[in-house]
C-alpha cells in the first residue's frame, strides 16, 4: 500500500501530487526563486529545508544543489543523488516515517501553491523537438504530401530539429499570435502578415539530468539514467508559416515564437512503475538499428494525456473547457530512451537542463489527434459548446494540457497544468 502523507491534501482522491509523485519545480514566494517539491496543494521548500538542517546527512553537493534558484545543479548530480534526496523528502513528508518533531519542523517549510508563482524550472541550454509519433507523422504527411506521407527515413531515424530555448515559457504565459511569411497554394507570391493557422502540439518534455562528454555517445542501456524527469510541452505552431518555410531544413519561425512548459518536473523515479513495453512495430517495419535496439526492460510509459480548449466566449459564459483529444505517451514509435541515445549517438553532448520534446503525441484513432492540423481532414470543424467552430486557434482561446499516470493499486500521479492563452498579434 502507498505511503500516506501528513499533508492531508496529498492523500485526497484526484490530487496530482500525492507522496508518490514529488515533482520538482522553481517557485517565487516573496522575492526569491527557490526549488520546491509539490505535495498536495502545497510546495515543500527545499532551500529552507537545507538551511534548517532537515537535509543533514545527505552529501553536501546535494544539500548545496537544493539551495540554488534553478534545478540545473541538482540535475547534474545524477540518479544516485536524486534517489537519496527523494528518499529523504519521502521520509520527511510521510505520516508513518517522519517523527513528530520532524513533522513539526517540516510543516514550517510548506508554502501554499496558490501563494507562489511558478518559474522556469531550469535554465535550458538547448531544446530539441522530435517527431516520435508515427500516427502524427502519417496524418500530417498525408496533408502535405498525399502520395508520400511517410518519408523513407522515418522508421530508421528518430527525426528531430533544433528548437529555440530562448522562447520557452512557463505555463500561464500569454502567447502572442505571430506574424510571418506565408504563401497560400493559390497565390504565386508570398506575403508577410498575421498567421491565421495557429495550432497547439501536445508533447512530453524530457529534461536531461547528468550529461555526456562531447564525443561520448550514451548507450541505450544507460539512457534513462540521464533523464531527470518529464513535463508537459505545448509546441505552439503557425501552420501557414510552417508549410511555406519547412523545406528543406525543417521548422523554424513557425515554432520559435513560443513553447510552453508545465512548471513541475515529474521525476523518472515516480514514473518507474508506469513503464510499459514500447508499442509493437508492424511486422513489415524494419527493426531499429543495433544502437537503438531496445533492451529487455520496458522503455515506454503509460501516461494519459488530455487537451482542453476554452474560447473567450466560453469563459465569459461560464462554459467548461472542451476536451479536444486524449492520447497516451505509450503510443510513440520511439521511446524517450531511443530519442536520447539517438541524439548523443554522433557524440553530441547533452547538458543538465537540456530539453528534448517528443513531438506531437497522437494515437491511431479519431479523438487522439495531438494537434488541430491532424483534424483538418474532417468534414466539419470542431464545434464548441457556445456554437462557435474551430479549424485553428482564435485570439482569446486558452489551451490546457493535462497528464496523469494511473494504475490499479497505485496512487494516481498528475503533472499539473500546461496552459496558455492566445493574444492578438501585436
Ligand atoms: Mn513539435
Amino acid at each position: 500500500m502507498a505511503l500516506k502523507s501528513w499533508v492531508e491534501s496529498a492523500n485526497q482522491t484526484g490530487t496530482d501530487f500525492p507522496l508518490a509523485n514529488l515533482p520538482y519545480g522553481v517557485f517565487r514566494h516573496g522575492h526569491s526563486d527557490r526549488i520546491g517539491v509539490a505535495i498536495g496543494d502545497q510546495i515543500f521548500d527545499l532551500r529552507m529545508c537545507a538551511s534548517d538542517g532537515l537535509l543533514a546527512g545527505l552529501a553536501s553537493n546535494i544539500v548545496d544543489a537544493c539551495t540554488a534558484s534553478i534545478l540545473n545543479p541538482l540535475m547534474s548530480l545524477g540518479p544516485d543523488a536524486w534517489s537519496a534526496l527523494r528518499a529523504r523528502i519521502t521520509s520527511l513528508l510521510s505520516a508513518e516515517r517522519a517523527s513528530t518533531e520532524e513533522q513539526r519542523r517540516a510543516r514550517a517549510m510548506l508554502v501554499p501553491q496558490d501563494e507562489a508563482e511558478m518559474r522556469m524550472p531550469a535554465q535550458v541550454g538547448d531544446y530539441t523537438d522530435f517527431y516520435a509519433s508515427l500516427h502524427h507523422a502519417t496524418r500530417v504527411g498525408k496533408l502535405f504530401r498525399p502520395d508520400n506521407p511517410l518519408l523513407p527515413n522515418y522508421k530508421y531515424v528518430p527525426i528531430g530539429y533544433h528548437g529555440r530555448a530562448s522562447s520557452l515559457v512557463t505555463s500561464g504565459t500569454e502567447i502572442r499570435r505571430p506574424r510571418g511569411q506565408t504563401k497560400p497554394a493559390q497565390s504565386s507570391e508570398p506575403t508577410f502578415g498575421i498567421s491565421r493557422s495557429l495550432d497547439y502540439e501536445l508533447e512530453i518534455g524530457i529534461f536531461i539530468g547528468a550529461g555526456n562528454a562531447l564525443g561520448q555517445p550514451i548507450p541505450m542501456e544507460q539512457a534513462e539514467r540521464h533523464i531527470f524527469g518529464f513535463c508537459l510541452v505545448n509546441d505552439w505552431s503557425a501552420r501557414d508559416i510552417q508549410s511555406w518555410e519547412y523545406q528543406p531544413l525543417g521548422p523554424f519561425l513557425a515554432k520559435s515564437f513560443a513553447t510552453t512548459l508545465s512548471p513541475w518536473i515529474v521525476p523518472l523515479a515516480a514514473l518507474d512503475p508506469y513503464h510499459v513495453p514500447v508499442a509493437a512495430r508492424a511486422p513489415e517495419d524494419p527493426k531499429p538499428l543495433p544502437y537503438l535496439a531496445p533492451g529487455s526492460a520496458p522503455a515506454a510509459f503509460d501516461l494519459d494525456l488530455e487537451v482542453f480548449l476554452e474560447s473567450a466566449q466560453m469563459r465569459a459564459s461560464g462554459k467548461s473547457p472542451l476536451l479536444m483529444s486524449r492520447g497516451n505517451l505509450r503510443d510513440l514509435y520511439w521511446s524517450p530512451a531511443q530519442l536520447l541515445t539517438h541524439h548523443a549517438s554522433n557524440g553530441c553532448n547533452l547538458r543538465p537542463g537540456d530539453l528534448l520534446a517528443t513531438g506531437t503525441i497522437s494515437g491511431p484513432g479519431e479523438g487522439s489527434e495531438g494537434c488541430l492540423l491532424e483534424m483538418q481532414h474532417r468534414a466539419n470543424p470542431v464545434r464548441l459548446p457556445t456554437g462557435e467552430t474551430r479549424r485553428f486557434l482564435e485570439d482569446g482561446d486558452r489551451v490546457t494540457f493535462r497528464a496523469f499516470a494511473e494504475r490499479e493499486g497505485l496512487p494516481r500521479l498528475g503533472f499539473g497544468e500546461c496552459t496558455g492563452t492566445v493574444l492578438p498579434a501585436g
Side-chain angles (χ1 to χ4, degrees):
M1 203 49 218
L3 291 175
K4 290 261 184 274
S5 177
W6 49 263
V7 180
E8 269 312 311
S9 58
N11 306 321
Q12 282 166 12
T13 312
T15 180
D16 276 352
F17 307 123
L19 186 58
N21 193 343
L22 302 180
Y24 291 99
V26 171
F27 68 100
R28 174 165 287 194
H29 187 248
H31 296 294
S32 63
D33 289 354
R34 280 122 69 180
I35 295 173
V37 163
I39 178 81
D41 60 7
Q42 305 288 312
I43 301 170
F44 192 48
D45 184 334
L46 292 189
R47 179 185 289 179
M48 275 170 60
C49 287
S51 58
D52 193 65
L54 277 171
L55 304 180
L58 292 174
S60 61
N61 58 356
I62 302 177
V63 181
D64 288 348
C66 289
T67 65
S69 55
I70 206 85
L71 281 164
N72 302 61
L74 178 61
M75 290 167 155
S76 73
L77 297 181
D80 295 337
W82 307 333
S83 67
L85 178 60
R86 183 171 167 82
R88 172 63 62 89
I89 298 168
T90 301
S91 169
L92 286 169
L93 294 173
S94 157
E96 290 91 342
R97 295 187 188 164
S99 68
T100 312
E101 172 60 11
E102 280 174 327
Q103 289 187 30
R104 187 190 63 75
R105 289 170 64 192
R107 195 176 292 277
M109 313 297 160
L110 294 178
V111 174
Q113 279 173 35
D114 60 12
E115 287 179 15
E117 178 197 345
M118 296 309 295
R119 312 282 288 172
M120 277 291 288
Q123 189 178 348
V124 180
D126 282 292
Y127 159 46
T128 302
D129 195 22
F130 283 94
Y131 197 50
S133 163
L134 176 66
H135 307 297
H136 171 71
T138 306
R139 274 195 215 104
V140 169
K142 269 183 195 147
L143 290 169
F144 285 126
R145 295 175 303 273
D147 311 331
N148 186 20
L150 212 58
L151 295 172
N153 56 6
Y154 188 85
K155 291 178 177 176
Y156 293 94
V157 186
I159 302 295
Y161 68 94
H162 198 270
R164 184 77 194 165
S166 67
S167 53
L168 295 170
V169 297
T170 196
S171 180
T173 306
E174 292 176 312
I175 303 301
R176 179 73 65 187
R177 178 181 297 273
R179 290 172 199 269
Q181 199 179 126
T182 63
K183 190 185 87 60
Q186 64 275 20
S187 309
S188 57
E189 299 290 326
T191 56
F192 184 86
I194 295 171
S195 168
R196 293 293 166 208
S197 312
L198 185 60
D199 199 355
Y200 55 78
E201 290 192 338
L202 169 66
E203 308 196 14
I204 285 291
I206 301 160
F207 268 104
I208 301 299
N212 58 310
L214 183 64
Q216 287 186 5
I218 299 172
M220 276 291 291
E221 63 270 18
Q222 291 291 317
E224 284 197 357
R225 291 181 59 79
H226 291 266
I227 298 177
F228 181 74
F230 291 166
C231 67
L232 281 160
V233 172
N234 185 346
D235 177 24
W236 303 93
S237 299
R239 301 304 186 187
D240 43 3
I241 300 174
Q242 185 180 356
S243 66
W244 173 234
E245 77 172 5
Y246 85 102
Q247 285 181 318
L249 288 184
F252 180 30
L253 301 183
K255 306 274 194 175
S256 60
F257 57 93
T259 305
T260 305
L261 309 186
S262 59
W264 294 109
I265 306 176
V266 176
L268 206 66
L271 294 168
D272 191 45
Y274 301 96
H275 267 110
V276 288
V278 177
R281 292 187 163 211
E284 65 273 21
D285 283 4
K287 286 197 170 31
L289 294 178
Y291 78 102
L292 291 176
S296 51
F301 294 84
D302 182 9
L303 186 68
D304 287 305
L305 306 161
E306 294 174 336
V307 177
F308 294 90
L309 176 64
E310 180 194 62
S311 68
Q313 217 185 100
M314 287 167 70
R315 260 194 311 288
S317 57
K319 300 258 192 297
S320 302
L322 178 69
L323 178 65
M324 297 290 286
S325 70
R326 276 182 215 276
N328 193 295
L329 184 59
R330 69 189 300 169
D331 287 335
L332 292 184
Y333 198 74
W334 299 103
S335 69
Q338 286 171 317
L339 300 181
L340 189 148
T341 289
H342 180 66
H343 203 313
S345 63
N346 64 346
C348 171
N349 51 328
L350 305 177
R351 294 178 295 184
D354 280 0
L355 182 70
L356 316 186
T358 55
T360 307
I361 303 166
S362 297
E366 187 153 313
S368 65
E369 301 95 336
C371 63
L372 294 171
L373 179 62
E374 290 179 53
M375 302 178 195
Q376 299 304 306
H377 68 275
R378 293 185 187 176
N380 298 311
V382 175
R383 181 167 287 275
L384 306 182
T386 44
E388 301 168 277
T389 57
R390 287 291 180 277
R391 289 281 184 192
F392 286 107
L393 298 173
E394 300 290 337
D395 295 343
D397 283 359
R398 180 172 297 162
V399 178
T400 301
F401 297 165
R402 293 180 169 279
F404 53 92
E406 205 164 26
R407 180 170 297 174
E408 189 80 33
L410 294 174
R412 174 189 179 279
L413 309 186
F415 274 55
E417 271 186 4
C418 178
T419 193
T421 307
V422 177
L423 293 181

